[in-house]
Amino acid sequence: MKFDSDIEFEVGEDVYTPDADTYLLLDVIELEEGGEVLEIGCGSGIISLHCAEEGWDVTAVDVCKDAVEGTKRNVRMNDLLGEVKVHQSDLFSNVDGRYDVMIFNPPYLPEDEELEKDERWDGGERGDETLLTFLDECIDYLNEGGRVYTIYSDKAPIDKVEKKMEQLFSVAKKEKKDFRFETIFAVELVPE
């Protein structure tokens, strides 16, 4: 799924601004026919808006209240009120049901002692804690035949992340993008 520049969106001050990782994740996502999508950590809602534009019923959640309110505004701005449900949740704490597609662009950088902690990109002390927790829990919310799309960085211990993925899923698709200071990976995962 490619970025659609016709989708309008605004990003609040304390909300993660879509960046190269967001667009790499969008490139990996494949949506064929309609179904139920859950986006964890929706941020501005840009990925959820794209899924709704493709005809999917979307539930978008974020731990950040400002992200939830911003996503709701962006849903209204794009006339997608019936297609996207938005509410606050810390990962799966306020999620019910099962989904055909699950999408998560987690905070994936290790904590940096020189920078103020920021939940938009701090993935825990090592950088992989949030993603590992998500991977352990997501199977319980995935329909049979469903799939997961997520992203991670080589700034965190990718061996732990990839080992956890291999325990629970088959990697159906993997893309990477190299930057001066890191490499990010976007994957499509299907349960074993």
Side-chain angles (χ1 to χ4, degrees), residues 67-126:
V68 169
E69 294 308 314
T71 296
K72 287 178 179 178
R73 281 191 305 276
N74 289 333
V75 166
R76 285 190 301 274
M77 188 184 319
N78 288 276
D79 296 321
L80 294 169
L81 282 173
E83 289 82 21
V84 183
K85 299 176 282 295
V86 186
H87 59 270
Q88 194 167 4
S89 182
D90 185 358
L91 292 178
F92 297 97
S93 67
N94 193 23
V95 170
D96 293 317
R98 291 185 168 269
Y99 299 86
D100 303 299
V101 172
M102 207 172 291
I103 302 166
F104 186 36
N105 184 353
Y108 54 71
L109 295 176
E111 290 178 0
D112 187 333
E113 293 176 8
E114 296 178 22
L115 298 174
E116 185 177 331
K117 184 167 175 53
D118 194 315
E119 66 185 9
R120 291 177 288 184
W121 49 75
D122 285 342
E125 186 177 331
R126 295 183 316 268

Short mmCIF file of all heavy atoms in Angstrom, two decimals, residues 67-126:
data_model
loop_
_atom_site.label_atom_id
_atom_site.label_comp_id
_atom_site.label_asym_id
_atom_site.label_seq_id
_atom_site.Cartn_x
_atom_site.Cartn_y
_atom_site.Cartn_z
N ALA A 67 -2.81 11.70 20.73
CA ALA A 67 -2.83 10.94 19.47
C ALA A 67 -4.24 10.47 19.16
O ALA A 67 -4.69 10.55 18.01
CB ALA A 67 -1.88 9.74 19.56
N VAL A 68 -4.96 10.02 20.16
CA VAL A 68 -6.34 9.57 19.97
C VAL A 68 -7.21 10.73 19.47
O VAL A 68 -7.95 10.58 18.50
CB VAL A 68 -6.91 8.97 21.28
CG1 VAL A 68 -8.40 8.74 21.18
CG2 VAL A 68 -6.18 7.66 21.62
N GLU A 69 -7.11 11.87 20.13
CA GLU A 69 -7.90 13.03 19.72
C GLU A 69 -7.51 13.50 18.32
O GLU A 69 -8.37 13.86 17.50
CB GLU A 69 -7.77 14.16 20.74
CG GLU A 69 -8.36 13.85 22.09
CD GLU A 69 -9.81 13.36 22.02
OE1 GLU A 69 -10.61 14.00 21.30
OE2 GLU A 69 -10.14 12.36 22.67
N GLY A 70 -6.22 13.50 18.01
CA GLY A 70 -5.75 13.90 16.69
C GLY A 70 -6.21 12.95 15.61
O GLY A 70 -6.62 13.38 14.51
N THR A 71 -6.17 11.66 15.88
CA THR A 71 -6.65 10.68 14.91
C THR A 71 -8.14 10.87 14.65
O THR A 71 -8.58 10.81 13.50
CB THR A 71 -6.35 9.24 15.38
OG1 THR A 71 -4.92 9.08 15.44
CG2 THR A 71 -6.92 8.21 14.43
N LYS A 72 -8.90 11.13 15.71
CA LYS A 72 -10.34 11.39 15.52
C LYS A 72 -10.57 12.59 14.61
O LYS A 72 -11.43 12.55 13.73
CB LYS A 72 -11.02 11.61 16.88
CG LYS A 72 -11.17 10.35 17.70
CD LYS A 72 -11.80 10.64 19.05
CE LYS A 72 -11.97 9.38 19.87
NZ LYS A 72 -12.56 9.65 21.20
N ARG A 73 -9.78 13.65 14.82
CA ARG A 73 -9.89 14.83 13.94
C ARG A 73 -9.55 14.48 12.50
O ARG A 73 -10.23 14.89 11.56
CB ARG A 73 -8.98 15.96 14.44
CG ARG A 73 -9.52 16.75 15.60
CD ARG A 73 -8.72 18.00 15.89
NE ARG A 73 -7.31 17.76 16.10
CZ ARG A 73 -6.76 17.40 17.27
NH1 ARG A 73 -7.54 17.23 18.32
NH2 ARG A 73 -5.47 17.21 17.38
N ASN A 74 -8.49 13.70 12.32
CA ASN A 74 -8.08 13.31 10.96
C ASN A 74 -9.09 12.40 10.29
O ASN A 74 -9.31 12.49 9.08
CB ASN A 74 -6.69 12.67 11.00
CG ASN A 74 -5.60 13.68 11.31
OD1 ASN A 74 -5.74 14.87 11.03
ND2 ASN A 74 -4.53 13.22 11.91
N VAL A 75 -9.76 11.57 11.06
CA VAL A 75 -10.82 10.72 10.53
C VAL A 75 -11.97 11.60 10.02
O VAL A 75 -12.48 11.41 8.91
CB VAL A 75 -11.31 9.71 11.59
CG1 VAL A 75 -12.63 9.06 11.19
CG2 VAL A 75 -10.24 8.65 11.85
N ARG A 76 -12.37 12.58 10.84
CA ARG A 76 -13.44 13.51 10.41
C ARG A 76 -13.01 14.31 9.19
O ARG A 76 -13.80 14.49 8.25
CB ARG A 76 -13.80 14.45 11.57
CG ARG A 76 -14.63 13.82 12.66
CD ARG A 76 -15.18 14.84 13.64
NE ARG A 76 -14.16 15.61 14.31
CZ ARG A 76 -13.52 15.24 15.42
NH1 ARG A 76 -13.80 14.09 15.99
NH2 ARG A 76 -12.60 16.01 15.97
N MET A 77 -11.79 14.78 9.17
CA MET A 77 -11.29 15.60 8.06
C MET A 77 -11.36 14.84 6.73
O MET A 77 -11.54 15.44 5.68
CB MET A 77 -9.83 16.00 8.36
CG MET A 77 -9.25 17.01 7.40
SD MET A 77 -7.48 17.37 7.73
CE MET A 77 -7.38 17.47 9.50
N ASN A 78 -11.22 13.51 6.79
CA ASN A 78 -11.23 12.68 5.59
C ASN A 78 -12.55 11.96 5.37
O ASN A 78 -12.64 11.05 4.55
CB ASN A 78 -10.07 11.68 5.64
CG ASN A 78 -8.73 12.34 5.45
OD1 ASN A 78 -8.31 12.57 4.33
ND2 ASN A 78 -8.07 12.69 6.54
N ASP A 79 -13.59 12.36 6.11
CA ASP A 79 -14.94 11.78 5.97
C ASP A 79 -14.93 10.26 6.10
O ASP A 79 -15.56 9.55 5.31
CB ASP A 79 -15.57 12.20 4.63
CG ASP A 79 -15.80 13.70 4.54
OD1 ASP A 79 -16.19 14.30 5.57
OD2 ASP A 79 -15.56 14.27 3.45
N LEU A 80 -14.25 9.75 7.12
CA LEU A 80 -14.16 8.31 7.34
C LEU A 80 -14.75 7.90 8.69
O LEU A 80 -14.34 6.90 9.27
CB LEU A 80 -12.69 7.86 7.24
CG LEU A 80 -12.05 8.02 5.87
CD1 LEU A 80 -10.54 7.80 5.95
CD2 LEU A 80 -12.67 7.04 4.87
N LEU A 81 -15.74 8.67 9.16
CA LEU A 81 -16.30 8.43 10.49
C LEU A 81 -16.83 7.02 10.68
O LEU A 81 -16.65 6.43 11.74
CB LEU A 81 -17.40 9.45 10.80
CG LEU A 81 -16.91 10.83 11.21
CD1 LEU A 81 -18.08 11.79 11.33
CD2 LEU A 81 -16.15 10.76 12.51
N GLY A 82 -17.48 6.43 9.70
CA GLY A 82 -18.04 5.10 9.86
C GLY A 82 -17.02 3.99 9.71
O GLY A 82 -17.28 2.85 10.09
N GLU A 83 -15.86 4.29 9.18
CA GLU A 83 -14.88 3.26 8.87
C GLU A 83 -13.78 3.11 9.92
O GLU A 83 -13.07 2.10 9.94
CB GLU A 83 -14.21 3.54 7.51
CG GLU A 83 -15.12 3.31 6.31
CD GLU A 83 -16.04 4.49 6.03
OE1 GLU A 83 -15.73 5.61 6.47
OE2 GLU A 83 -17.08 4.28 5.40
N VAL A 84 -13.58 4.12 10.76
CA VAL A 84 -12.49 4.07 11.74
C VAL A 84 -13.03 4.36 13.14
O VAL A 84 -13.62 5.42 13.38
CB VAL A 84 -11.38 5.10 11.40
CG1 VAL A 84 -10.22 4.98 12.39
CG2 VAL A 84 -10.87 4.92 9.97
N LYS A 85 -12.83 3.41 14.04
CA LYS A 85 -13.14 3.60 15.46
C LYS A 85 -11.83 3.91 16.17
O LYS A 85 -10.84 3.21 15.94
CB LYS A 85 -13.78 2.34 16.04
CG LYS A 85 -15.10 1.95 15.38
CD LYS A 85 -15.64 0.65 15.93
CE LYS A 85 -14.99 -0.59 15.42
NZ LYS A 85 -15.10 -0.93 14.03
N VAL A 86 -11.82 4.90 17.02
CA VAL A 86 -10.58 5.33 17.68
C VAL A 86 -10.80 5.40 19.18
O VAL A 86 -11.79 5.98 19.64
CB VAL A 86 -10.14 6.73 17.17
CG1 VAL A 86 -8.78 7.10 17.75
CG2 VAL A 86 -10.12 6.79 15.66
N HIS A 87 -9.89 4.80 19.95
CA HIS A 87 -9.95 4.95 21.40
C HIS A 87 -8.57 4.74 22.03
O HIS A 87 -7.65 4.28 21.37
CB HIS A 87 -11.01 4.04 22.03
CG HIS A 87 -10.81 2.58 21.78
ND1 HIS A 87 -11.35 1.94 20.70
CD2 HIS A 87 -10.14 1.64 22.46
CE1 HIS A 87 -11.03 0.66 20.73
NE2 HIS A 87 -10.28 0.45 21.78
N GLN A 88 -8.47 5.07 23.29
CA GLN A 88 -7.20 5.00 24.01
C GLN A 88 -6.98 3.58 24.53
O GLN A 88 -7.89 2.95 25.07
CB GLN A 88 -7.20 6.01 25.16
CG GLN A 88 -5.83 6.25 25.74
CD GLN A 88 -5.82 7.47 26.66
OE1 GLN A 88 -6.84 8.09 26.92
NE2 GLN A 88 -4.65 7.81 27.15
N SER A 89 -5.75 3.09 24.36
CA SER A 89 -5.38 1.78 24.87
C SER A 89 -3.87 1.68 24.94
O SER A 89 -3.17 2.11 24.02
CB SER A 89 -5.93 0.68 23.95
OG SER A 89 -5.62 -0.60 24.46
N ASP A 90 -3.37 1.10 26.01
CA ASP A 90 -1.95 0.79 26.14
C ASP A 90 -1.77 -0.62 25.60
O ASP A 90 -2.16 -1.59 26.25
CB ASP A 90 -1.53 0.89 27.60
CG ASP A 90 -0.04 0.68 27.79
OD1 ASP A 90 0.68 0.43 26.79
OD2 ASP A 90 0.43 0.77 28.94
N LEU A 91 -1.27 -0.74 24.38
CA LEU A 91 -1.24 -2.00 23.64
C LEU A 91 -2.66 -2.57 23.62
O LEU A 91 -3.56 -1.95 23.10
CB LEU A 91 -0.19 -2.97 24.19
CG LEU A 91 1.27 -2.56 24.00
CD1 LEU A 91 2.20 -3.58 24.64
CD2 LEU A 91 1.64 -2.39 22.54
N PHE A 92 -2.88 -3.74 24.24
CA PHE A 92 -4.17 -4.42 24.15
C PHE A 92 -5.05 -4.21 25.39
O PHE A 92 -6.08 -4.87 25.52
CB PHE A 92 -3.95 -5.92 23.93
CG PHE A 92 -3.25 -6.22 22.63
CD1 PHE A 92 -1.88 -6.42 22.60
CD2 PHE A 92 -3.97 -6.30 21.45
CE1 PHE A 92 -1.23 -6.68 21.40
CE2 PHE A 92 -3.33 -6.55 20.25
CZ PHE A 92 -1.96 -6.74 20.22
N SER A 93 -4.68 -3.29 26.27
CA SER A 93 -5.40 -3.14 27.53
C SER A 93 -6.87 -2.76 27.35
O SER A 93 -7.69 -3.07 28.20
CB SER A 93 -4.71 -2.10 28.42
OG SER A 93 -4.80 -0.81 27.84
N ASN A 94 -7.21 -2.12 26.24
CA ASN A 94 -8.59 -1.70 25.99
C ASN A 94 -9.04 -2.14 24.59
O ASN A 94 -9.70 -1.41 23.88
CB ASN A 94 -8.70 -0.17 26.14
CG ASN A 94 -10.13 0.32 26.21
OD1 ASN A 94 -11.04 -0.43 26.56
ND2 ASN A 94 -10.33 1.57 25.86
N VAL A 95 -8.62 -3.35 24.23
CA VAL A 95 -8.94 -3.91 22.91
C VAL A 95 -9.75 -5.18 23.10
O VAL A 95 -9.40 -6.03 23.92
CB VAL A 95 -7.65 -4.22 22.10
CG1 VAL A 95 -7.96 -5.02 20.84
CG2 VAL A 95 -6.92 -2.94 21.75
N ASP A 96 -10.84 -5.32 22.32
CA ASP A 96 -11.66 -6.53 22.33
C ASP A 96 -11.72 -7.07 20.91
O ASP A 96 -11.49 -6.35 19.94
CB ASP A 96 -13.09 -6.22 22.79
CG ASP A 96 -13.14 -5.80 24.25
OD1 ASP A 96 -12.46 -6.44 25.07
OD2 ASP A 96 -13.86 -4.83 24.55
N GLY A 97 -12.09 -8.33 20.79
CA GLY A 97 -12.32 -8.92 19.48
C GLY A 97 -11.07 -9.45 18.82
O GLY A 97 -9.99 -9.49 19.41
N ARG A 98 -11.27 -9.89 17.58
CA ARG A 98 -10.18 -10.44 16.77
C ARG A 98 -10.14 -9.70 15.44
O ARG A 98 -11.15 -9.19 14.98
CB ARG A 98 -10.38 -11.93 16.55
CG ARG A 98 -10.21 -12.73 17.82
CD ARG A 98 -10.29 -14.23 17.52
NE ARG A 98 -9.85 -14.97 18.68
CZ ARG A 98 -8.60 -15.36 18.90
NH1 ARG A 98 -7.67 -15.08 18.03
NH2 ARG A 98 -8.28 -16.03 19.98
N TYR A 99 -8.96 -9.71 14.83
CA TYR A 99 -8.73 -8.90 13.64
C TYR A 99 -8.03 -9.72 12.56
O TYR A 99 -7.30 -10.66 12.84
CB TYR A 99 -7.90 -7.67 14.01
CG TYR A 99 -8.61 -6.81 15.02
CD1 TYR A 99 -8.51 -7.07 16.38
CD2 TYR A 99 -9.43 -5.78 14.60
CE1 TYR A 99 -9.21 -6.31 17.31
CE2 TYR A 99 -10.14 -5.01 15.52
CZ TYR A 99 -10.02 -5.28 16.87
OH TYR A 99 -10.72 -4.54 17.78
N ASP A 100 -8.28 -9.32 11.31
CA ASP A 100 -7.65 -9.98 10.17
C ASP A 100 -6.24 -9.45 9.92
O ASP A 100 -5.37 -10.17 9.46
CB ASP A 100 -8.49 -9.76 8.90
CG ASP A 100 -9.90 -10.27 9.08
OD1 ASP A 100 -10.06 -11.48 9.32
OD2 ASP A 100 -10.84 -9.46 9.02
N VAL A 101 -6.06 -8.19 10.22
CA VAL A 101 -4.76 -7.53 10.04
C VAL A 101 -4.48 -6.69 11.27
O VAL A 101 -5.36 -5.98 11.78
CB VAL A 101 -4.77 -6.63 8.78
CG1 VAL A 101 -3.50 -5.79 8.69
CG2 VAL A 101 -4.94 -7.46 7.52
N MET A 102 -3.24 -6.78 11.75
CA MET A 102 -2.80 -5.98 12.88
C MET A 102 -1.56 -5.22 12.45
O MET A 102 -0.66 -5.79 11.83
CB MET A 102 -2.48 -6.92 14.05
CG MET A 102 -2.62 -6.29 15.38
SD MET A 102 -2.45 -7.53 16.67
CE MET A 102 -3.95 -8.47 16.44
N ILE A 103 -1.51 -3.94 12.79
CA ILE A 103 -0.40 -3.08 12.38
C ILE A 103 0.14 -2.37 13.62
O ILE A 103 -0.63 -1.82 14.42
CB ILE A 103 -0.87 -2.04 11.34
CG1 ILE A 103 -1.47 -2.76 10.13
CG2 ILE A 103 0.28 -1.13 10.93
CD1 ILE A 103 -2.27 -1.86 9.20
N PHE A 104 1.47 -2.36 13.75
CA PHE A 104 2.09 -1.70 14.90
C PHE A 104 3.42 -1.09 14.49
O PHE A 104 4.34 -1.81 14.11
CB PHE A 104 2.29 -2.71 16.04
CG PHE A 104 2.81 -2.13 17.33
CD1 PHE A 104 2.42 -0.88 17.78
CD2 PHE A 104 3.66 -2.87 18.12
CE1 PHE A 104 2.88 -0.37 18.99
CE2 PHE A 104 4.12 -2.37 19.34
CZ PHE A 104 3.74 -1.13 19.77
N ASN A 105 3.50 0.23 14.56
CA ASN A 105 4.78 0.93 14.40
C ASN A 105 5.19 1.33 15.81
O ASN A 105 4.84 2.41 16.30
CB ASN A 105 4.62 2.16 13.50
CG ASN A 105 5.94 2.86 13.24
OD1 ASN A 105 6.96 2.53 13.82
ND2 ASN A 105 5.91 3.86 12.39
N PRO A 106 5.93 0.44 16.49
CA PRO A 106 6.20 0.66 17.91
C PRO A 106 7.30 1.68 18.14
O PRO A 106 8.10 1.97 17.24
CB PRO A 106 6.70 -0.72 18.36
CG PRO A 106 7.40 -1.26 17.16
CD PRO A 106 6.56 -0.78 15.99
N PRO A 107 7.35 2.19 19.36
CA PRO A 107 8.56 2.91 19.74
C PRO A 107 9.68 1.87 19.80
O PRO A 107 9.53 0.85 20.47
CB PRO A 107 8.23 3.48 21.13
CG PRO A 107 7.12 2.63 21.64
CD PRO A 107 6.40 2.09 20.45
N TYR A 108 10.76 2.06 19.07
CA TYR A 108 11.75 0.99 18.93
C TYR A 108 13.19 1.41 19.21
O TYR A 108 14.12 0.65 18.96
CB TYR A 108 11.67 0.35 17.54
CG TYR A 108 11.78 1.31 16.38
CD1 TYR A 108 12.98 1.93 16.06
CD2 TYR A 108 10.67 1.59 15.60
CE1 TYR A 108 13.07 2.80 15.00
CE2 TYR A 108 10.75 2.46 14.52
CZ TYR A 108 11.96 3.06 14.23
OH TYR A 108 12.04 3.93 13.17
N LEU A 109 13.39 2.60 19.73
CA LEU A 109 14.75 3.02 20.03
C LEU A 109 15.05 2.81 21.51
O LEU A 109 14.17 2.96 22.36
CB LEU A 109 14.95 4.49 19.67
CG LEU A 109 14.85 4.81 18.19
CD1 LEU A 109 14.97 6.31 17.96
CD2 LEU A 109 15.89 4.05 17.38
N PRO A 110 16.30 2.46 21.84
CA PRO A 110 16.67 2.32 23.25
C PRO A 110 16.63 3.67 23.95
O PRO A 110 16.82 4.72 23.33
CB PRO A 110 18.12 1.80 23.20
CG PRO A 110 18.43 1.51 21.79
CD PRO A 110 17.39 2.15 20.94
N GLU A 111 16.39 3.63 25.25
CA GLU A 111 16.42 4.86 26.03
C GLU A 111 17.80 5.49 25.90
O GLU A 111 18.81 4.80 25.83
CB GLU A 111 16.13 4.56 27.51
CG GLU A 111 14.70 4.17 27.76
CD GLU A 111 14.44 3.82 29.21
OE1 GLU A 111 15.38 3.89 30.05
OE2 GLU A 111 13.30 3.47 29.52
N ASP A 112 17.83 6.80 25.85
CA ASP A 112 19.08 7.55 25.73
C ASP A 112 19.19 8.45 26.95
O ASP A 112 18.34 9.33 27.16
CB ASP A 112 19.06 8.37 24.44
CG ASP A 112 20.39 9.05 24.15
OD1 ASP A 112 21.14 9.34 25.12
OD2 ASP A 112 20.67 9.29 22.97
N GLU A 113 20.22 8.24 27.75
CA GLU A 113 20.39 9.00 28.99
C GLU A 113 20.53 10.49 28.73
O GLU A 113 20.26 11.31 29.59
CB GLU A 113 21.59 8.48 29.76
CG GLU A 113 21.41 7.08 30.29
CD GLU A 113 22.65 6.55 30.97
OE1 GLU A 113 23.62 7.32 31.16
OE2 GLU A 113 22.66 5.36 31.32
N GLU A 114 21.00 10.86 27.53
CA GLU A 114 21.22 12.27 27.22
C GLU A 114 19.94 12.98 26.75
O GLU A 114 19.92 14.20 26.63
CB GLU A 114 22.31 12.41 26.18
CG GLU A 114 23.66 11.91 26.67
CD GLU A 114 24.74 12.01 25.62
OE1 GLU A 114 24.60 12.81 24.69
OE2 GLU A 114 25.73 11.27 25.77
N LEU A 115 18.91 12.20 26.43
CA LEU A 115 17.66 12.78 25.94
C LEU A 115 16.54 12.53 26.93
O LEU A 115 16.53 11.52 27.65
CB LEU A 115 17.28 12.16 24.59
CG LEU A 115 18.26 12.36 23.44
CD1 LEU A 115 17.81 11.56 22.23
CD2 LEU A 115 18.38 13.84 23.09
N GLU A 116 15.57 13.42 26.93
CA GLU A 116 14.40 13.23 27.77
C GLU A 116 13.60 12.04 27.26
O GLU A 116 13.45 11.85 26.06
CB GLU A 116 13.54 14.50 27.70
CG GLU A 116 12.35 14.47 28.63
CD GLU A 116 11.57 15.77 28.59
OE1 GLU A 116 12.17 16.82 28.32
OE2 GLU A 116 10.35 15.70 28.80
N LYS A 117 13.12 11.21 28.18
CA LYS A 117 12.33 10.04 27.79
C LYS A 117 11.09 10.48 27.02
O LYS A 117 10.43 11.43 27.40
CB LYS A 117 11.93 9.24 29.02
CG LYS A 117 11.19 7.96 28.70
CD LYS A 117 11.10 7.07 29.90
CE LYS A 117 10.28 5.84 29.66
NZ LYS A 117 10.65 5.05 28.54
N ASP A 118 10.80 9.80 25.92
CA ASP A 118 9.66 10.15 25.08
C ASP A 118 9.00 8.87 24.58
O ASP A 118 9.63 8.10 23.86
CB ASP A 118 10.10 11.01 23.90
CG ASP A 118 8.95 11.69 23.20
OD1 ASP A 118 7.93 11.01 22.95
OD2 ASP A 118 9.06 12.89 22.91
N GLU A 119 7.73 8.65 24.97
CA GLU A 119 7.04 7.41 24.62
C GLU A 119 6.80 7.28 23.12
O GLU A 119 6.46 6.21 22.64
CB GLU A 119 5.72 7.29 25.37
CG GLU A 119 4.70 8.33 25.00
CD GLU A 119 3.45 8.25 25.85
OE1 GLU A 119 3.40 7.51 26.84
OE2 GLU A 119 2.49 8.96 25.50
N ARG A 120 7.01 8.35 22.35
CA ARG A 120 6.83 8.25 20.91
C ARG A 120 7.89 7.38 20.26
O ARG A 120 7.64 6.79 19.22
CB ARG A 120 6.85 9.65 20.27
CG ARG A 120 5.63 10.49 20.64
CD ARG A 120 5.73 11.86 20.06
NE ARG A 120 6.75 12.62 20.79
CZ ARG A 120 7.02 13.89 20.57
NH1 ARG A 120 6.36 14.56 19.63
NH2 ARG A 120 7.94 14.53 21.27
N TRP A 121 9.08 7.31 20.84
CA TRP A 121 10.13 6.48 20.22
C TRP A 121 10.92 5.63 21.20
O TRP A 121 11.64 4.74 20.79
CB TRP A 121 11.09 7.32 19.39
CG TRP A 121 11.62 8.54 20.07
CD1 TRP A 121 12.57 8.59 21.05
CD2 TRP A 121 11.20 9.87 19.86
NE1 TRP A 121 12.77 9.88 21.45
CE2 TRP A 121 11.95 10.71 20.72
CE3 TRP A 121 10.28 10.47 19.00
CZ2 TRP A 121 11.79 12.08 20.78
CZ3 TRP A 121 10.13 11.85 19.05
CH2 TRP A 121 10.87 12.62 19.92
N ASP A 122 10.77 5.83 22.52
CA ASP A 122 11.49 5.00 23.49
C ASP A 122 10.81 3.64 23.61
O ASP A 122 9.69 3.54 24.10
CB ASP A 122 11.50 5.65 24.87
CG ASP A 122 12.47 6.81 24.96
OD1 ASP A 122 13.36 6.90 24.10
OD2 ASP A 122 12.33 7.62 25.89
N GLY A 123 11.51 2.60 23.18
CA GLY A 123 10.98 1.24 23.25
C GLY A 123 11.45 0.49 24.47
O GLY A 123 11.50 -0.73 24.49
N GLY A 124 11.82 1.21 25.53
CA GLY A 124 12.33 0.58 26.74
C GLY A 124 13.84 0.73 26.82
O GLY A 124 14.48 1.31 25.94
N GLU A 125 14.41 0.19 27.86
CA GLU A 125 15.84 0.34 28.09
C GLU A 125 16.67 -0.13 26.90
O GLU A 125 17.61 0.53 26.47
CB GLU A 125 16.25 -0.42 29.36
CG GLU A 125 17.68 -0.22 29.76
CD GLU A 125 18.03 -0.92 31.04
OE1 GLU A 125 17.15 -1.11 31.90
OE2 GLU A 125 19.21 -1.30 31.18
N ARG A 126 16.33 -1.30 26.36
CA ARG A 126 17.06 -1.85 25.20
C ARG A 126 16.47 -1.40 23.87
O ARG A 126 17.12 -1.50 22.84
CB ARG A 126 17.05 -3.38 25.24
CG ARG A 126 17.77 -4.01 26.40
CD ARG A 126 17.75 -5.54 26.29
NE ARG A 126 16.47 -6.08 25.90
CZ ARG A 126 15.52 -6.47 26.75
NH1 ARG A 126 15.71 -6.39 28.04
NH2 ARG A 126 14.38 -6.95 26.29
#
